[in-house]
Amino acid sequence: MNILDELKDAASVGITGHVRPDGDCMGSTLGLYNYLKDNRPDLKTDVFLEEPGKEFSYLTGIENIKNVPENTQYDVFVVLDCSSKDRIEPFVQCFDNAKKTICIDHHVSNSDFADVNLVRPDASSTCEVLYDTFDEDKVQKDVAECIYTGIIHDTGVFKYSSTSAKTMTIAGKMMEKGIAYSDIIDNSFYKKTYVQNQILGRALLESVLFYDGKCIFSNVTKDEMDFYGVTGKELGGIIEQLRLTDGVEVAIFLYETGENEHKVSMRSKKTIDVSRIAVEFGGGGHVRAAGFTGKGSVYSIINKIGEMIEQQYCNE
Ligand code: AMP
Ligand code: MN
Ligand code: MN
């Protein structure tokens, strides 16, 4: 797909990504926004997303993001880094009203919900898939910053198994556009506030190893989040540290989102397909990184996940 060809008859384009936007979601939505601003200035282009994290404030166009849906009928509505329609709430009405919809993504659990779907589960990030729809010579520094951001976030700075030689080639090309790559990595990926570090410490302290040390979980309650004054999107680094625990194959992190409701993140190292588990709970993701929002107590959720992990080991 060449995105400029795909949009050549359009006069207006709406763009969105998934709820609780992460680095790949921010990078791909703003990457497309900036690419269209640079190369199709005549086009009315809007980005709809929930309030993004402060760590992404260096991305061009972030100040123009709309947080509330509009009743506009877009010629084309593009959904990025999102595997199903229910994950674009509250902007689903913009999607439903649009004349044509496009989804560009890399989730193995993607349900091909748009009119045109470009889904590459082998790609490290949506930014990598999106970059392939661009003309290389039309990519400017503002777009390069976005693409690089998405790639580093979804590869854990080039280390997850989804990282390929192609990923590195694209990242290298982005570096050649003059981006401040060290700052992007430090400030958007690794930097933590003091309270984020405190709650990370607490989550690690209270983590529980189970299944002969092959699994680990930790959870943060609503009261704890209120005590430290943090929101769910500031708990991003915890699952990664749990995953690094020696001997662990599956790491699970939960935080309370409401009455008897938890946001659950899972990561695996080599054998367990956590996407399959997430799909069973109505969520989705990738083989090595997946999530869902689950009803029930922490222990009931952990017990169910434990059973599914055991099943996968038995079926190996
Ligand atoms: P997280 O644990 O939220 O960082 O998510 C890990 C991966 O799973 C990301 O690629 C998410 O987009 C995906 N994911 C998380 N939660 C859900 C969900 N409820 N439905 C579908 N995909 C999800
Ligand atoms: Mn994402
Ligand atoms: Mn992604």
Side-chain angles (χ1 to χ4, degrees):
M1 181 195 289
N2 181 302
I3 199 71
L4 292 176
D5 290 346
E6 199 70 36
L7 302 178
K8 72 176 180 310
D9 299 323
S12 63
V13 174
I15 301 171
T16 196
H18 60 75
V19 288
R20 288 186 286 265
D22 58 13
D24 190 28
C25 184
M26 293 305 302
S28 55
T29 52
L30 289 176
L32 177 57
Y33 174 79
N34 290 321
Y35 184 75
L36 294 177
K37 285 274 166 208
D38 293 341
N39 297 292
R40 279 288 310 275
D42 58 303
L43 199 62
K44 171 182 158 57
T45 311
D46 293 320
V47 181
F48 296 93
L49 283 176
E50 281 178 6
E51 189 75 46
K54 289 188 185 53
E55 67 272 31
F56 299 116
S57 56
Y58 62 92
L59 294 174
T60 305
I62 195 160
E63 67 286 357
N64 297 333
I65 290 177
K66 298 178 182 227
N67 304 134
V68 234
E70 281 177 14
N71 222 353
T72 317
Q73 185 186 41
Y74 289 96
D75 291 335
V76 182
F77 197 72
V78 188
V79 181
L80 293 141
D81 198 37
C82 185
S83 53
S84 57
K85 219 172 108 174
D86 58 311
R87 299 250 298 153
I88 58 172
E89 282 290 358
F91 307 112
V92 73
Q93 73 182 75
C94 304
F95 180 92
D96 287 337
N97 286 344
K99 293 188 192 149
K100 176 175 154 183
T101 56
I102 300 176
C103 176
I104 300 176
D105 187 31
H106 69 128
H107 288 91
V108 65
S109 58
N110 191 296
S111 56
D112 282 353
F113 60 94
D115 299 329
V116 180
N117 298 280
L118 175 62
V119 182
R120 277 192 19 220
D122 59 315
S124 68
S125 51
T126 297
C127 279
E128 188 177 321
V129 186
L130 178 67
Y131 180 77
D132 276 345
T133 74
F134 292 170
D135 295 327
E136 278 187 21
D137 55 337
K138 295 187 175 139
V139 172
Q140 300 184 18
K141 189 179 166 195
D142 56 352
V143 174
E145 285 166 345
C146 294
I147 299 295
Y148 191 81
T149 296
I151 289 177
I152 61 155
H153 277 258
D154 263 23
T155 59
V157 193
F158 309 116
K159 69 174 180 171
Y160 297 148
S161 55
S162 58
T163 314
S164 66
K166 182 174 175 177
T167 316
M168 304 305 279
T169 303
I170 297 172
K173 286 179 181 167
M174 298 304 94
M175 289 165 75
E176 283 171 352
K177 303 280 177 184
I179 63 171
Y181 47 89
S182 302
D183 288 347
I184 292 179
I185 293 175
D186 264 353
N187 297 337
S188 80
F189 190 84
Y190 285 113
K191 190 166 76 182
K192 295 276 173 272
T193 62
Y194 178 62
V195 283
Q196 276 181 307
N197 275 335
Q198 282 190 309
I199 206 159
L200 165 69
R202 184 160 176 164
L204 297 178
L205 199 65
E206 291 176 1
S207 63
V208 179
L209 272 177
F210 65 109
Y211 207 14
D212 295 333
K214 290 196 190 69
C215 302
I216 191 165
F217 83 89
S218 188
N219 78 288
V220 170
T221 64
K222 185 97 188 21
D223 282 349
E224 286 164 342
M225 287 164 70
D226 290 346
F227 177 80
Y228 289 100
V230 293
T231 59
K233 66 179 174 220
E234 291 164 277
L235 304 176
I238 297 176
I239 184 73
E240 174 57 15
Q241 199 54 44
L242 292 170
R243 188 190 81 94
L244 287 170
T245 313
D246 189 20
V248 160
E249 167 60 21
V250 183
I252 307 156
F253 175 67
L254 312 85
Y255 68 86
E256 200 178 359
T257 47
E259 189 69 34
N260 224 20
E261 189 191 86
H262 293 86
K263 164 76 182 87
V264 185
S265 288
M266 296 179 290
R267 301 290 184 269
S268 65
K269 279 205 194 113
K270 289 213 154 61
T271 44
I272 297 298
D273 179 347
V274 286
S275 169
R276 256 168 61 198
I277 299 174
V279 167
E280 291 282 323
F281 283 93
H286 315 279
V287 179
R288 301 278 168 259
F292 63 91
T293 299
K295 288 278 175 199
S297 68
V298 170
Y299 288 97
S300 70
I301 293 172
I302 291 298
N303 282 337
K304 272 193 233 158
I305 295 176
E307 280 167 22
M308 290 179 198
I309 292 172
E310 189 149 7
Q311 264 171 15
Q312 285 197 27
Y313 273 123
C314 293
N315 295 339
E316 250 178 28

